[in-house]
Amino acid sequence: MTLPWADAPWWRAVVERTTAGPTDPVTHVTTWDPTWLPWAVLAVGLVLVAVPELWRATRILVTFVHELGHAAVGILVGRRFTGFVVRADMSGHAVTVGKPRGPGLELTTWAGYPAPAVIGAGLVWTALTGWAPAALGAVALICLLSLVFVRSWSTAGTTLLVGAVAGVLWWWRGDARSAGVLLAVAVLLLLGAWRHWFAVAGSPKGSDPAVLARLTGWPGWWWVGTFLLVIAGASAAAGWLLWPVLRW
């Protein structure tokens, strides 16, 4: 089936900026030139998390993904997403409306802490398989749609900034540049997920595990453990995906 607007210039421009880029025929991953570039990108992501001054500025992105994780799962289980707030101190909240108890609310509450690691692993895959431009276009679109649900000026600023950067990178397409940015963000999200996990493991009171304990009767440490399993699994998957690039 051919779309009615398939020959329109604007649609051809969208397609050109969204299709998958070339990958190496042997490794089936993005070709990096020079070959040390992936190591440099990984180092940038590590520095963003390890240096306290930089982490204070970039951790809001981890919180942003955390809250959108609540929202996305809430929508998937049939709840109505009404708004979200993110703050630079790693705090925030997303509001969904639906049944006051039950698996839907429990899944929605649980989804926040694993979300940055899962998205980080997904970004590694997109960066290494030529789909980085498409992923940036999707991020820009998600941020645009999310503006309807922001409930603070700081949240609006974060959403606009992330969406604008993704949109600019998508429009002025450069496969290696897009892949490098996504890979650095993936490292930030993966390591940031670990930092958030250690924070909640040390003090789970008043956080998502405590809410899950009230909803289910299962102790908070159980839910902290489930977060650990998912974050560790996502990190292992990201490492497995990166191995062909770093090895070569």
Side-chain angles (χ1 to χ4, degrees):
M1 180 179 177
T2 303
L3 296 173
W5 55 83
D7 293 328
W10 65 269
W11 179 250
R12 290 200 299 268
V14 168
V15 172
E16 289 171 1
R17 289 163 174 80
T18 309
T19 53
T23 56
D24 186 273
V26 176
T27 61
H28 302 291
V29 297
T30 300
T31 301
W32 300 80
D33 186 20
T35 54
W36 51 260
L37 189 57
W39 289 100
V41 172
L42 293 176
V44 169
L46 177 62
V47 167
L48 291 176
V49 177
V51 177
E53 292 78 9
L54 295 176
W55 172 241
R56 280 194 290 270
T58 57
R59 65 188 179 184
I60 194 170
L61 182 60
V62 184
T63 304
F64 182 76
V65 175
H66 175 117
E67 300 306 334
L68 288 185
H70 285 307
V73 172
I75 293 170
L76 288 174
V77 299
R79 298 180 66 82
R80 183 164 58 89
F81 175 45
T82 61
F84 73 109
V85 171
V86 294
R87 305 181 188 91
D89 63 356
M90 294 197 302
S91 66
H93 63 269
V95 180
T96 62
V97 178
K99 293 181 179 179
R101 301 190 73 86
L105 180 58
E106 293 161 11
L107 282 171
T108 301
T109 305
W110 177 86
Y113 279 95
V118 173
I119 296 300
L123 291 182
V124 170
W125 182 85
T126 60
L128 299 183
T129 55
W131 287 102
L136 288 168
V139 169
L141 180 60
I142 290 169
C143 289
L144 180 63
L145 297 175
S146 298
L147 285 173
V148 179
F149 301 99
V150 301
R151 294 296 180 264
S152 74
W153 288 111
S154 62
T155 308
T158 300
T159 306
L160 281 170
L161 179 61
V162 173
V165 171
V168 167
L169 289 170
W170 170 75
W171 185 257
W172 282 282
R173 174 172 177 164
D175 288 8
R177 179 177 62 243
S178 298
V181 170
L182 280 191
L183 191 55
V185 172
V187 174
L188 169 63
L189 291 177
L190 285 161
L191 297 181
W194 281 105
R195 289 200 62 156
H196 278 210
W197 181 84
F198 279 110
V200 76
S203 181
K205 293 182 179 180
S207 61
D208 292 351
V211 175
L212 286 165
R214 291 196 300 271
L215 289 172
T216 65
W218 290 76
W221 61 262
W222 165 265
W223 298 109
V224 171
T226 64
F227 298 158
L228 174 62
L229 289 176
V230 176
I231 293 170
S235 301
W240 180 79
L241 290 167
L242 280 167
W243 174 246
V245 176
L246 301 180
R247 182 181 60 179
W248 293 97

